[in-house]
Structures are given as structure tokens and as C-alpha cells.
């Protein structure tokens, strides 16, 4: 009952997602339908859905390593039969990291470890994480402000993979798996046609789609929208998102899928229209406007990713890394450029002062350029670094997204440390 009330508050936007995380922190299950339970822990960990069959449980995702035990405990309070099959909706660690706990449970019970089914590209993703573990650790540490973070690799690989679609029939339950590209290239959504239940994976996350992350591999906004349309066409009665509460009712499920698609389609269409006219990235970034009405929906607010980052991802996917500025094709070292600009301006101190004045006027984007030039020209100047820290803090205050704030804060902390603050 309390959960129902909270859902209505999340749906109408009167409660923040933090309230949801607080409510489910101990591992709370939602009975989705007869024999189907979805377990939640925190907003930032993928949910786990358990489906009871006569051959054992089918799980959609596994949670992360830290929350696997409490998630499994919540499932065990509901059903104690062996886990037959695990479906990874994609290869991110908040969806695959709980696999070791499931294997350990199977070993302790003396039963075969679960079969893992996933899209073919999950394997390649897991290999890429090994090859880039240092970089991924740095980025993940920056994004979530985890000092000295090490990204865990080595989750168990899928036993069976598919390319476009796959049907599993397990203990009388028919599960249809479909591939789509969105946040990742290896994503699966699961459709239970007999129940009209859809498990979307991270195609639906109760926030603006994570289709533009500045420091992660390519995302696929157009295909994300197309996949949401495919889901909408199935007509689900229940929508189980990758993150956040289960959405009941064909009307609400359809609205979430429809509006998520429309928002991404608008950003993609605007970006491509400008690219097709030969615009530079600068012109595209400042020429695209996200549809405000959709961004205000409680399930589409840009609290994690940012529409401007999605525009960049669409540019990058279709046009590569060059932004159309001649100086950026073979740029000078940043420190040389900063020293030259500072000398022309009459010193790093004057540049920093101008940056502070611009920030005070609310022109934080422009202020950030000047503050970075000033600090690049005089990295050891404490007053310059203090001004830079203040400018970056003003930039952060304007960001709605976790990513916008997090990546700026990396440099703001650097500036504060150099300023001796
Ligand atoms: Zn996720």
C-alpha cells in the first residue's frame, strides 16, 4: 500500500527518485503477476525479475555484486526452487555482477549452475572491459565520485547467445527475447506474450535516456527510439523498467514508451537536419532544442544524462570526432594556447577575473573557457585556481544531470586542491 502511494507520487513528479531508493533499500519485491516477482534495491542498481516455472526460476538480470545477496534473499522468501536460466539484459555490472552469488548458491545446493542467455555482443563487451579496465575504472570513479575505484571484470560469460531474436520455452513459460541498440549495443528486452508483461532492461530507466554519456562508448539514440516503438507495438499491460518501479496498466506503459521514443526522435531529427545542411558541431549544439514538455515528464527528467550530450553522440555516430573547427583538426598543445591567450589578455590573473565576472552574470559556459585558459597558463597560481574553482562550481549549479555535475566536479576539485582550499 505504501509502495502504491509512493508510485503515484513518482508518477506525478511530487516525490524524487531518492524516495524510491529509500523505500526499497532493504530489497523490496513487487509481485508483477502470478509467479513473477521483481526485486528492487536502489535506483542505481538494475532490478531483478524472477519468473516461476515448473523447471525452476528464470531470472532477468542479477543486480550488482554488492546487492546480490539481499536480492537473492528477497527472491528466496518468495520461491526456493533452483535457478534454471539467467537472462542478461546487457553487460553492465549492475545487471551481471550478481552472477557469482547465484553460482555460489547453486554450488552450495549441489545443483547445476544456471544457464546464462544474452545477446552475442555481451561477450565482446566483457572482453572490452578487460582491455580497458584502467580507463573504465577512472571514468566510473569520476562519474560516481568513487576515489581509487577499480571496475570489476570477469563476470561469467553467457552460455548461449543470439543475434536478432530468440524464443525460450522453460517449464511452460514462453519468453521472447529481442535485441535492440540503445544505451548499449548488446541489449535485450524480454516479452512474455501470455502475460503481456514486458521487461525493458535499461531502455526504460525512469529518467531521460542515458544516450549521451560523455566518457562512455557510443550510444544509439535513433535505435533506442525504434526499440521503444517496437515495445509499444507489443501492447504491454505491465512494464518492468531496468531501474525504478514497475509500471502497471497499458495506458501508462504505452505513454512511457511513446514519449521516450518521441523525445529521442526529436533530438535525432534536429541533429541530422543540421548535419545535412553542413553545419559544424558548434552550430548543431546550439541549434537543437529538446522538447520541453517531454523533458518535464517525471520519467524523462534529465537527472542522469543530458540532451546536449545526446546531440553529441548522434553527431559522433554519424560524423566522427571532428567538430568542423579548423583549429581542432590538428590542435596546438592546450598549455601553449593558454599561455598565448593569457599573454594577450595581460596575464592569467586578468583572464581569471574576467571569468569570474562572466560567471557572476550567469554566462558560465563562456566563463569556463576563460577560467581553463587562465589555469592552463598559470597552473600553480593559487588565486587563479580559486577563481577557476568558483567558476566551475557556478557551472555545476546549472547542471540538472548527474553526469554534467560529476564530470565538472573532477576539475573543480582539482582547482580547489591547487588553490590550497
Ligand atoms: Zn542499469
Amino acid at each position: 500500500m505504501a509502495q502504491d502511494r509512493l508510485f503515484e507520487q513518482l508518477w506525478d513528479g511530487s516525490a524524487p527518485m531518492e524516495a524510491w531508493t529509500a523505500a526499497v533499500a532493504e530489497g523490496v519485491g513487487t509481485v508483477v503477476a502470478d509467479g513473477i516477482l521483481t526485486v528492487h534495491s536502489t535506483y542505481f542498481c538494475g532490478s531483478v525479475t524472477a519468473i516461476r516455472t515448473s523447471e525452476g526460476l528464470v531470472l532477468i538480470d542479477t543486480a550488482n555484486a554488492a546487492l546480490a545477496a539481499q536480492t537473492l534473499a528477497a527472491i528466496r522468501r518468495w520461491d526456493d526452487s533452483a535457478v534454471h536460466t539467467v537472462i542478461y539484459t546487457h553487460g553492465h555490472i549492475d545487471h551481471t555482477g550478481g552472477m557469482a552469488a547465484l553460482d555460489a548458491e547453486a554450488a552450495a545446493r549441489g545443483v547445476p549452475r544456471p544457464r546464462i542467455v544474452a545477446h552475442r555482443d555481451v561477450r565482446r563487451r566483457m572482453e572490452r572491459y578487460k582491455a580497458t579496465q584502467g580507463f573504465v575504472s577512472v571514468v566510473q570513479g569520476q562519474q560516481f565520485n568513487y576515489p581509487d575505484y577499480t571496475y570489476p571484470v570477469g563476470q561469467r560469460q553467457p552460455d548461449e547467445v543470439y543475434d536478432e531474436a530468440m524464443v525460450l520455452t522453460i517449464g511452460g513459460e514462453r519468453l521472447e527475447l529481442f535485441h535492440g541498440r540503445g544505451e548499449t549495443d548488446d541489449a535485450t528486452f524480454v516479452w512474455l506474450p501470455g502475460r503481456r508483461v514486458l521487461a525493458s532492461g535499461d531502455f526504460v530507466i525512469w529518467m531521460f535516456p542515458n544516450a549521451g554519456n560523455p566518457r562512455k562508448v557510443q550510444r544509439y539514440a535513433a535505435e533506442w527510439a525504434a526499440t521503444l516503438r517496437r515495445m509499444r507495438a507489443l501492447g504491454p499491460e505491465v512494464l518492468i523498467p531496468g531501474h525504478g518501479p514497475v509500471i502497471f496498466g497499458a495506458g501508462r506503459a504505452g505513454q512511457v514508451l511513446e514519449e521516450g521514443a518521441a523525445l529521442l526522435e526529436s533530438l535525432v531529427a534536429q541533429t541530422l537536419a543540421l548535419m545535412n545542411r553542413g553545419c559544424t558541431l558548434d552550430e548543431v549544439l546550439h541549434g537543437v532544442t529538446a522538447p520541453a514538455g517531454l523533458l518535464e515528464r517525471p520519467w524523462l527528467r534529465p537527472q542522469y544524462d543530458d540532451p546536449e550530450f545526446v546531440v553529441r553522440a548522434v553527431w559522433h555516430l554519424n560524423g566522427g570526432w571532428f567538430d568542423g573547427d579548423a583549429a581542432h583538426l590538428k590542435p596546438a598543445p592546450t598549455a601553449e594556447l593558454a599561455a598565448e591567450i593569457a599573454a594577450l589578455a595581460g596575464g592569467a590573473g586578468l583572464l581569471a577575473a574576467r571569468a569570474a565576472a562572466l560567471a557572476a552574470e550567469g554566462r558560465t559556459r563562456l566563463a569556463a573557457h576563460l577560467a581553463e585558459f587562465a589555469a592552463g597558463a598559470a597552473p600553480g597560481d593559487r588565486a587563479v585556481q580559486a577563481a577557476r574553482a568558483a567558476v566551475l562550481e557556478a557551472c555545476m549549479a546549472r547542471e540538472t544531470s548527474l553526469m554534467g555535475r560529476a564530470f565538472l566536479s573532477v576539475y573543480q576539485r582539482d582547482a580547489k586542491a591547487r588553490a590550497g582550499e
Side-chain angles (χ1 to χ4, degrees):
M1 274 300 135
Q3 251 201 73
D4 291 348
R5 195 163 61 244
L6 176 56
F7 181 92
E8 294 303 327
Q9 292 170 342
L10 293 166
W11 182 261
D12 70 22
S14 61
M17 200 44 80
E18 288 78 12
W20 165 255
T21 285
V24 299
E26 306 295 320
V28 168
T30 301
V31 177
V32 170
D34 184 32
I36 305 178
L37 182 79
T38 296
V39 179
H40 313 278
S41 46
T42 152
Y43 172 77
F44 282 101
C45 179
S47 63
V48 177
T49 295
I51 302 157
R52 187 184 280 142
T53 83
S54 61
E55 290 186 59
L57 295 180
V58 177
L59 300 189
I60 302 173
D61 287 331
T62 70
N64 64 26
L67 293 164
Q70 78 168 41
T71 300
L72 186 54
I75 292 169
R76 288 307 177 212
R77 288 194 291 275
W78 172 78
D79 191 299
D80 200 45
S81 49
V83 178
H84 181 279
T85 294
V86 172
I87 299 165
Y88 290 159
T89 59
H90 59 295
H92 281 167
I93 49 170
D94 59 316
H95 298 258
T96 63
M99 197 62 228
L102 295 170
D103 285 346
E105 188 205 49
R109 291 177 167 213
V111 299
R113 65 185 193 174
R115 166 183 67 159
I116 306 173
V117 179
H119 183 261
R120 180 179 303 281
D121 285 349
V122 167
R123 288 178 174 165
R124 198 172 55 180
R125 169 176 300 277
M126 289 179 162
E127 292 307 313
R128 179 167 57 75
Y129 286 153
K130 288 181 192 166
T132 61
Q133 189 182 13
F135 175 76
V136 175
S137 299
V138 167
V139 167
Q140 200 76 351
Q142 290 182 344
Q143 186 170 321
F144 294 107
N145 194 15
Y146 302 146
D148 305 319
Y149 179 73
T150 301
Y151 192 89
V153 296
Q155 284 79 23
R156 182 149 72 87
Q157 292 268 10
D159 301 300
E160 286 179 37
V161 297
Y162 76 99
D163 290 303
E164 295 300 321
M166 183 184 211
V167 174
L168 298 175
T169 304
I170 302 167
E173 193 74 46
R174 179 182 167 94
L175 300 99
E176 299 178 0
L177 281 56
F178 296 99
H179 170 56
R181 297 202 300 182
E183 183 189 0
T184 67
D185 56 5
D186 61 350
T188 290
F189 69 87
V190 183
W191 171 238
L192 305 181
R195 325 279 211 122
R196 309 205 72 73
V197 169
L198 178 81
S200 68
D202 281 2
F203 287 103
V204 178
I205 57 169
W206 272 91
M207 283 186 189
F208 177 77
N210 174 9
N213 188 316
R215 304 215 66 191
K216 299 281 177 72
V217 290
Q218 182 68 52
R219 276 84 165 95
Y220 304 91
E223 290 167 78
W224 192 325
T227 305
L228 291 172
R229 296 251 173 242
R230 288 175 72 195
M231 295 183 191
R232 171 101 169 92
L234 292 169
E237 297 279 349
V238 183
L239 169 58
I240 306 171
H243 297 254
V246 178
I247 297 162
F248 291 92
R252 284 178 167 180
Q255 186 181 356
V256 166
L257 297 169
E258 167 74 32
E259 293 185 344
L263 178 48
L264 288 169
E265 285 162 356
S266 170
L267 292 172
V268 172
Q270 291 181 65
T271 303
L272 293 183
L274 293 172
M275 290 179 78
N276 284 332
R277 280 168 37 195
C279 292
T280 63
L281 177 59
D282 172 59
E283 291 165 331
V284 173
L285 286 176
H286 297 105
V288 173
T289 314
L294 293 176
L295 279 186
E296 286 164 8
R297 296 286 192 226
W299 53 89
L300 286 175
R301 288 177 182 161
Q303 293 179 323
Y304 185 40
D305 208 332
D306 185 297
E308 189 172 320
F309 301 158
V310 175
V311 172
R312 282 185 179 273
V314 175
W315 171 281
H316 187 265
L317 177 66
N318 293 283
W321 58 263
F322 181 51
D323 62 7
D325 180 325
H328 292 167
L329 191 64
K330 289 283 186 81
T334 306
E336 272 183 39
L337 175 60
E340 193 67 25
I341 299 278
L344 286 170
L350 284 176
L351 262 184
R354 179 63 183 149
L358 288 168
E361 288 173 25
R363 301 172 74 186
T364 50
R365 290 180 182 237
L366 193 53
H369 287 287
L370 299 196
E372 290 302 305
F373 281 139
D381 185 317
R382 289 186 163 200
V384 164
Q385 293 290 356
R388 177 189 176 217
V391 165
L392 291 174
E393 197 157 320
C395 292
M396 288 163 61
R398 299 177 83 96
E399 294 302 308
T400 64
S401 74
L402 176 146
M403 288 175 204
R405 283 192 303 276
F407 291 121
L408 286 167
S409 81
V410 170
Y411 306 96
Q412 189 249 7
R413 287 196 301 272
D414 173 71
K416 282 178 108 169
R418 290 171 186 269
E421 288 176 8

